[in-house]
């Protein structure tokens, strides 16, 4: 076993603090990866504070991992030492259910093995994420980072990127569509970039007036403040597509009212408590309300390659691991521009 420095939450009430994890030596088809950067997702906060229930402690969060292959198992053939690779939100799945066979391992009917806060198949050993300096993963769950994307700006693509890209493809965002992006944080700013790249006309709907200029620089053509109730009257019935990235409770009905006839709203954010949806918000204009969770390995690779072609990367603020608790507080206050990324050299 390889003793590896990390940061962990000991309980749902504890700040993150230094910890050590054991990584396995690469087995037949494993790759051992030296982690260079790890993005900080709001899901890390939800889980480290056990807001969704069932959290496993101690917890080492982190599922937006970019690193360099350090060692490969005897039968691993997809990567070689020195390759720059990524790990997203899961590291294993059953491999034989309909969803796994369709390349949508995130919906594995036996449950995907999440990169952290999960248990390895077979052994039941807890999984530990990317707030650490290395990780061992089966090569089938490892992504290739294309050349040309700065590595710290590539890390958030492994969750925030694929989570926003996948529903645009699945629910069919089209060039010329009017797209509303709700919540300009890690997911939201990627949704703006992908929406623009796919030819949509993007409006950012935000609680933070201070993000107006950034929204326009990201490529949005309009910005509206959602604290102002007038916004919901002025923009009623105006969007073909809405992506909801909000991490805190809010009224879905308000946003559904912004959709046109046949419009689609996709929930990506996961507030800790359920919220009511009125049938009237949907039936009158035949609106659709959907959800989406990350993306499969094949689509994640497609998204990474799309980013390389379109010059897309996350806008990041690089931090040392010692700033992680402060970064969580800033995210909870909406003060994120637009993804914190840990430089894992700060762990050594
Ligand atoms: P984030 O960077 O913290 O961004 C969330 C944004 O939501 C904030 O910046 C803020 O934007 C807005 N917001 C916060 N509180 C609000 C409130 N009370 N009312 C309205 N807007 C509010 O978080 P993230 O990493 O993008 O994650 C967002 C959510 O998606 C989290 O719940 C996370 O767990 C979830 N998630 C889901 C998936 C999936 O597969 N579906 C994957 C990753 C993350 P403004 O300042 O612009 O209002
Ligand atoms: Zn995430
Ligand atoms: Zn499966």
């Amino acid at each position: 076993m390889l003793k590896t420095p990390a940061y962990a939450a000991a309980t749902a009430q504890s700040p993150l603090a230094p910890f050590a994890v054991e990584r396995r030596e690469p087995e037949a088809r494993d790759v051992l990866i030296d982690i260079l950067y790890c993005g900080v997702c709001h899901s890390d906060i939800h889980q480290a504070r056990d807001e969704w229930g069932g959290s496993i402690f101690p917890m080492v969060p982190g599922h937006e991992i970019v690193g360099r292959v350090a060692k490969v198992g005897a039968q691993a053939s997809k990567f070689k030492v020195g390759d720059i690779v990524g790990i997203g939100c899961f590291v294993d799945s059953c491999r034989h259910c309909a969803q796994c066979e369709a390349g949508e391992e995130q919906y594995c009917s036996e449950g995907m093995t999440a990169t952290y806060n999960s248990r390895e198949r077979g052994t039941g050993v807890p999984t530990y994420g990317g707030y650490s300096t290395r990780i061992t993963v089966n090569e089938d769950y490892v992504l290739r980072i294309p050349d040309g994307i700065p590595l710290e700006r590539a890390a958030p693509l492994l969750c925030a990127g694929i989570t926003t890209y996948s529903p645009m493809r699945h629910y069919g965002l089209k060039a010329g569509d009017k797209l509303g992006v709700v919540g300009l944080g890690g997911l939201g700013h990627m949704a703006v970039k992908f929406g623009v790249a796919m030819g949509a006309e993007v409006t950012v709907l935000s609680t933070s007036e201070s993000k107006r200029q950034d929204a326009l620089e990201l490529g949005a053509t309009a910005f509206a403040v959602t604290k102002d109730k007038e916004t919901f009257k002025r923009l009623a019935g105006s969007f073909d597509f809405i992506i909801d990235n909000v991490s805190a409770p809010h009224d879905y009905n308000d946003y559904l009212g912004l959709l046109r006839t046949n419009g689609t709203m996709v929930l990506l954010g996961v507030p800790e408590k359920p919220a009511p949806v009125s049938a009237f918000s949907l039936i009158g204009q035949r609106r659709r309300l959907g959800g989406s969770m990350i993306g499969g390995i094949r689509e994640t690779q497609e998204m990474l390659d799309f980013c390389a072609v379109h010059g897309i990367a996350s806008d990041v603020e690089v931090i040392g691991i010692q700033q992680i608790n402060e970064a969580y507080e800033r995210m909870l206050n909406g003060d994120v521009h637009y993804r914190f990324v840990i430089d894992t050299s700060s762990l050594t």
Side-chain angles (χ1 to χ4, degrees):
M1 294 299 255
L2 303 162
K3 193 167 180 148
T4 302
Y7 252 53
T11 72
Q13 288 75 40
S14 331
L16 274 74
F19 184 67
V21 295
E22 301 279 358
R23 300 299 193 186
R24 63 178 185 270
E25 283 283 358
E27 290 165 10
R29 296 198 51 226
D30 282 341
V31 272
L32 173 68
I33 299 156
D34 285 334
I35 300 174
L36 300 170
Y37 295 102
C38 182
V40 181
C41 179
H42 207 112
S43 302
D44 300 350
I45 306 179
H46 290 305
Q47 292 176 90
R49 300 191 175 180
D50 200 15
E51 292 174 354
W52 296 338
S55 283
I56 303 168
F57 293 101
M59 183 189 301
V60 177
H63 58 206
E64 293 185 335
I65 299 169
V66 165
R68 188 179 287 114
V69 175
K71 208 168 172 184
V72 299
Q75 281 144 44
S77 58
K78 295 186 181 167
F79 300 96
K80 58 180 192 313
V81 172
D83 284 355
I84 297 293
V85 295
I87 304 293
C89 298
F90 56 92
V91 290
D92 204 359
S93 66
C94 86
R95 296 167 183 257
H96 53 68
C97 72
Q99 289 73 254
C100 283
E101 283 187 352
E104 298 194 320
E105 304 89 350
Q106 74 276 30
Y107 304 125
C108 174
S109 56
E110 294 182 11
M112 65 177 189
T113 305
T115 304
Y116 69 89
N117 192 25
S118 186
R119 291 190 188 276
E120 284 180 12
R121 307 184 107 73
T123 67
V125 169
T127 55
Y128 296 112
Y131 297 7
S132 70
T133 58
R134 54 189 172 190
I135 188 167
T136 310
V137 180
N138 181 287
E139 63 177 354
D140 291 337
Y141 297 83
V142 177
L143 287 307
R144 188 174 297 283
I145 305 296
D147 290 340
I149 308 178
L151 301 187
E152 69 282 12
R153 300 186 61 197
L157 302 176
L158 279 310
C159 175
I162 184 60
T163 299
T164 47
Y165 179 90
S166 182
M168 291 182 185
R169 292 297 195 212
H170 177 77
Y171 290 100
L173 179 73
K174 302 184 299 301
D177 275 358
K178 286 197 190 310
L179 168 67
V181 173
V182 187
L184 195 62
L187 266 56
H189 92 291
M190 291 310 309
V192 174
K193 290 182 189 231
F194 287 129
V196 170
M198 292 180 198
E201 194 182 313
V202 180
T203 297
V204 169
L205 299 153
S206 171
T207 59
S208 311
E209 170 62 41
S210 61
K211 294 179 182 173
R212 179 183 294 272
Q213 190 57 35
D214 288 350
L216 301 177
E217 281 167 18
L218 284 164
T221 51
F223 178 92
V225 177
T226 50
K227 280 183 173 156
D228 180 359
K229 287 293 157 200
E230 271 304 302
T231 293
F232 293 95
K233 288 187 191 147
R234 181 170 59 83
L235 297 177
S238 59
F239 297 106
D240 301 287
F241 210 109
I242 292 177
I243 299 264
D244 181 335
N245 307 286
V246 176
S247 50
H250 55 293
D251 189 344
Y252 296 133
N253 302 290
D254 286 348
Y255 294 92
L256 286 167
L258 302 181
L259 289 174
R260 285 181 172 161
T261 311
N262 299 325
T264 301
M265 174 156 124
V266 184
L267 302 185
L268 300 180
V270 193
E272 56 182 294
K273 291 205 176 70
V277 174
S278 163
F280 285 114
S281 302
L282 298 168
I283 66 171
Q285 297 299 321
R286 199 166 57 191
R287 294 168 173 136
R288 277 198 295 185
L289 178 61
S292 187
M293 186 174 74
I294 48 174
I297 294 293
R298 190 191 310 132
E299 193 174 44
T300 304
Q301 191 64 58
E302 175 190 307
M303 177 276 311
L304 288 166
D305 297 340
F306 180 94
C307 287
V309 169
H310 292 267
I312 291 175
S314 177
D315 293 358
V316 303
E317 184 173 336
V318 177
I319 58 169
I321 191 72
Q322 296 76 12
Q323 278 99 57
I324 189 65
N325 294 303
E326 188 190 319
Y328 278 12
E329 288 313 313
R330 284 183 53 194
M331 284 170 76
L332 289 167
N333 291 322
D335 179 18
V336 51
H337 311 276
Y338 278 88
R339 197 56 139 187
F340 291 107
V341 173
I342 300 161
D343 177 346
T344 57
S345 66
S346 60
L347 275 154
T348 48

